[in-house]
Amino acid sequence: MTTGPRKATDEQVSGGDGTERPRLTPAQRLHLDVYGFVLLENVLTQHEVARMKDALYRLKAEPDLSARGVYVNSRSAHFLSIGHLVEYDQALLDYAAHPALVPLVEELVGGRVRLEESEAIINRRDPDAPAESGPVPGSKKRVEPLGFHTGVRHGWGTYHADHHFHCLFAKTLAYLTDVGPDDGGTAVIPGSHRLGWPQQDIIDAAREDERLVHQVEATAGSVLLFAESLVHSSTAVRSDRERAVMICGYTPPMMREWPGNEPSPEFVASLPDHLRPLLGGGDSWPWDR
């Protein structure tokens, strides 16, 4: 059981072997520019996935999450959504500062970033929910978005530089379980990250033609990187499997964390010097790009 602030190790932050910071491949960068998301397959090791799941399921068993500094968005027998996780366990901090992921986030944002939020969802099919209709004849997938939304909108949270799309609010979503077409995978409206349409008009238009909605399927250890200007939603779980994901949000250092994700001064002070800007943010507008 974690009882105090945790430190990310030097090896975890730097890679430990002097290797260059990873970058998106040209194909990944093109996919991100065109569609607003890219699935990074098998980024996390089985050991990393197991450590993260262990921490989250210990949190799920906690009777009083507020005593652990964790807030609850929703909690029921079949659905748990919680946040402010990085001070609870080393494995969750290591994911937020993962050396294979943070540089890719910075490519999307366009410069150095800070952690804006850390959240997780553990959910399974609601046994009391009414039966849902099956797939449309001829369709390969059954997509039932539960609530399309964005975190920023194109035009005031996005920009173009060096021939690439950038978004000031980006997220990584780690799959800690395999997610197939019936397992509640994230649904996105590809290309919506660059549209100035009213958001509801985008959603209404996409609902008219299911080909405009893509549901992500992934294996445990894969990570979805996406711009928060992308219209996206979780989907209904139809299988008997439980889904577990962890989500981290990132913004430029001078922007504020999501309410409830403010790091404690003791936690920030415990971190290595080079990691403090990622977890603690910055106090001025000059941006290392």
Side-chain angles (χ1 to χ4, degrees):
M1 185 66 63
T2 300
T3 57
R6 309 292 293 181
K7 294 183 180 180
T9 63
D10 288 345
E11 180 179 359
Q12 189 271 331
V13 175
S14 67
D17 57 4
T19 57
E20 294 183 2
R21 289 160 58 89
R23 294 186 60 84
L24 293 164
T25 67
Q28 290 171 333
R29 181 71 235 202
L30 180 62
H31 200 284
L32 195 54
D33 280 4
V34 173
Y35 298 116
F37 71 96
V38 63
L39 182 65
L40 309 170
E41 297 183 310
N42 303 315
V43 176
L44 305 177
T45 66
Q46 292 183 0
H47 179 62
E48 288 172 321
V49 170
R51 291 176 64 226
M52 292 170 67
K53 285 182 68 176
D54 176 72
L56 293 181
Y57 276 90
R58 280 190 280 112
L59 276 172
K60 183 181 179 183
E62 288 276 1
D64 183 7
L65 287 169
S66 63
R68 297 293 179 182
V70 173
Y71 63 78
V72 177
N73 291 318
S74 180
R75 189 172 198 173
S76 68
H78 67 277
F79 188 91
L80 176 69
S81 174
I82 53 179
H84 192 220
L85 307 177
V86 294
E87 296 190 41
Y88 175 76
D89 190 273
Q90 180 74 47
L92 307 183
L93 172 59
D94 285 350
Y95 171 68
H98 202 292
L101 292 172
V102 172
L104 307 187
V105 172
E106 291 179 336
E107 282 193 63
L108 174 54
V109 174
R112 297 294 185 180
V113 296
R114 67 161 301 160
L115 183 68
E116 183 267 353
E117 65 180 89
S118 57
E119 296 195 333
I121 297 173
I122 300 175
N123 66 311
R124 54 186 171 85
R125 182 174 57 84
D126 181 358
D128 297 324
E132 295 169 342
S133 59
V136 175
S139 172
K140 296 181 179 180
K141 298 179 181 178
R142 298 185 295 180
V143 181
E144 186 62 33
L146 299 179
F148 276 123
H149 62 282
T150 58
V152 295
R153 293 307 316 280
H154 177 58
W156 57 265
T158 65
Y159 67 99
H160 285 81
D162 299 323
H163 312 293
H164 289 300
F165 170 86
H166 298 281
C167 185
L168 296 179
F169 186 9
K171 283 187 177 177
T172 62
L173 185 154
Y175 294 91
L176 305 181
T177 54
D178 293 344
V179 175
D182 291 331
D183 299 331
T186 301
V188 301
I189 302 178
S192 59
H193 64 300
R194 296 182 289 112
L195 293 181
W197 291 28
Q199 180 172 296
Q200 192 58 50
D201 288 355
I202 297 174
I203 296 169
D204 292 343
R207 287 187 181 278
E208 292 181 9
D209 185 344
E210 68 169 6
R211 293 173 298 179
L212 295 172
V213 178
H214 173 72
Q215 184 176 10
V216 179
E217 299 176 24
T219 56
S222 296
V223 174
L224 184 68
L225 170 63
F226 64 98
E228 264 292 327
S229 58
L230 178 73
V231 181
H232 60 283
S233 171
S234 58
T235 61
V237 177
R238 303 174 188 272
S239 72
D240 292 326
R241 292 182 291 272
E242 190 163 68
R243 181 185 73 133
V245 297
M246 180 167 173
I247 309 104
C248 283
Y250 302 87
T251 62
M254 62 282 196
M255 298 178 71
R256 295 301 305 269
E257 59 281 300
W258 192 261
N261 283 272
E262 299 84 356
S264 67
E266 297 81 9
F267 172 67
V268 175
S270 76
L271 299 170
D273 290 345
H274 57 279
L275 191 58
R276 289 176 188 168
L278 178 66
L279 277 296
D283 296 326
S284 62
W285 277 92
W287 187 18
D288 184 7
R289 300 183 58 201

